[in-house]
Amino acid sequence: SYIEDNRYIHEQVLNLSQEQKQKVFDYLVWNAAPENREYPYDYFYDNCATKIRDVVVKNLGSDVSFDGSYITTNYSIRELTDFYLEPFPWLDLGIDVCLGLPMDKKATPYEYMFLPDYVESGFDHAVVKSDSALTPLVKDKIIIYSEQPEESSFSFTHPLLVFCLLLLLTLALCVRDFYKKKLSNWFDVILFGSTGFIGVLLLLLWFFTDHKAAAYNFNLLWALPTHVVAVVA
């Protein structure tokens, strides 16, 4: 499925002693048990990528050390997410709307590892203690599949184009209603209903879920939940 989606596959062979391997293996067996396999997912601090790092840290402790000095950028979590969602503009828009101020935190090199690419590079720059000596954590890297270059294609359904067309439609309706001295109530219902529903959703995500990244969402300044009242009125 990765090859079908043109996603690279890299295998890292870790430089662990037999005792260290056994610790990791025993933990994975314990973690796979039905009573242990579930956990409170967090988009950026406890996800499928960070789990790989955390399993190693939890079981090897001070024997493993990550060196983040190779990262010279100062991106926020939102900026890092945007880079990877460029081919998926609607998903990018949805995340930007639904997640709030915590996404704009400047990420530390350690926190970069919420992304699989940085888990790989983080392991590449880590060391592990073996027989009282420090050695690279990654002993070998095997390139199973390399992604192939793809040309980006223009889409008429890109959010920017869609909302520009919506703006033109809104302006045209406003001009028509002004000259005809009547209101297009159907359009108001759609517009206020949509933004009101988004506002209600943002409130629910902020106050009634465990998704910490959805807190302090300033999109509520335009997606007012009270807009749903205007629809009924």
Side-chain angles (χ1 to χ4, degrees):
S1 63
Y2 269 63
I3 294 174
E4 184 178 355
D5 292 337
N6 196 30
R7 301 171 65 184
Y8 74 78
I9 307 172
H10 296 171
E11 178 183 350
Q12 290 170 300
V13 181
L14 302 187
N15 191 19
L16 304 181
S17 67
Q18 186 58 44
E19 181 183 359
Q20 291 168 333
K21 292 177 185 177
Q22 192 64 49
K23 284 182 180 180
V24 173
F25 177 80
D26 290 343
Y27 176 82
L28 292 176
V29 171
W30 172 87
N31 195 201
E35 65 272 20
N36 302 322
R37 64 179 57 168
E38 295 184 359
Y39 69 99
Y41 179 88
D42 186 283
Y43 299 118
F44 309 113
Y45 301 108
D46 199 1
N47 65 15
C48 52
T50 63
K51 277 294 181 187
I52 299 172
R53 175 201 65 196
D54 294 344
V55 165
V56 171
V57 171
K58 185 177 182 111
N59 290 279
L60 303 188
S62 59
D63 284 354
V64 64
S65 177
F66 290 91
D67 180 10
S69 62
Y70 74 98
I71 292 180
T72 58
T73 55
N74 190 33
Y75 292 127
S76 68
I77 292 175
R78 190 184 302 274
E79 289 171 326
L80 287 168
T81 305
D82 285 343
F83 294 143
Y84 287 85
L85 292 179
E86 188 175 344
F88 312 101
W90 283 103
L91 179 58
D92 188 17
L93 176 64
I95 288 177
D96 282 339
V97 169
C98 291
L99 302 185
L101 199 58
M103 272 197 80
D104 297 301
K105 173 188 181 296
K106 294 296 182 182
T108 65
Y110 195 75
E111 290 169 342
Y112 271 52
M113 284 190 275
F114 80 90
L115 293 165
D117 280 354
Y118 287 101
V119 174
E120 179 182 1
S121 58
F123 273 54
D124 284 339
H125 292 83
V127 294
V128 64
K129 185 184 295 184
S130 180
D131 296 328
S132 300
L134 292 179
T135 60
L137 178 58
V138 176
K139 178 169 59 176
D140 190 19
K141 182 182 290 192
I142 303 170
I143 307 300
I144 298 175
Y145 176 75
S146 296
E147 73 275 20
Q148 303 303 310
E150 291 182 327
E151 293 184 5
S152 57
S153 58
F154 175 79
S155 173
F156 287 101
T157 60
H158 191 281
L160 180 60
L161 181 57
V162 170
F163 284 107
C164 283
L165 293 175
L166 179 61
L167 175 61
L168 292 175
L169 173 62
T170 304
L171 292 173
L173 283 174
C174 288
V175 172
R176 192 195 71 167
D177 289 355
F178 176 78
Y179 283 107
K180 288 192 173 185
K181 294 183 170 43
K182 60 178 292 188
L183 297 177
S184 298
N185 291 328
W186 62 270
F187 185 78
D188 292 341
V189 168
I190 294 174
L191 180 62
F192 285 101
S194 300
T195 54
F197 173 77
I198 292 173
V200 171
L201 174 64
L202 299 185
L203 275 182
L204 292 175
L205 286 172
W206 183 349
F207 292 105
F208 297 98
T209 75
D210 294 327
H211 298 304
K212 298 177 182 177
Y216 307 103
N217 196 329
F218 292 152
N219 286 309
L220 283 164
L221 294 175
W222 61 266
L224 295 174
T226 51
H227 283 170
V228 294
V229 178
V231 173
V232 177

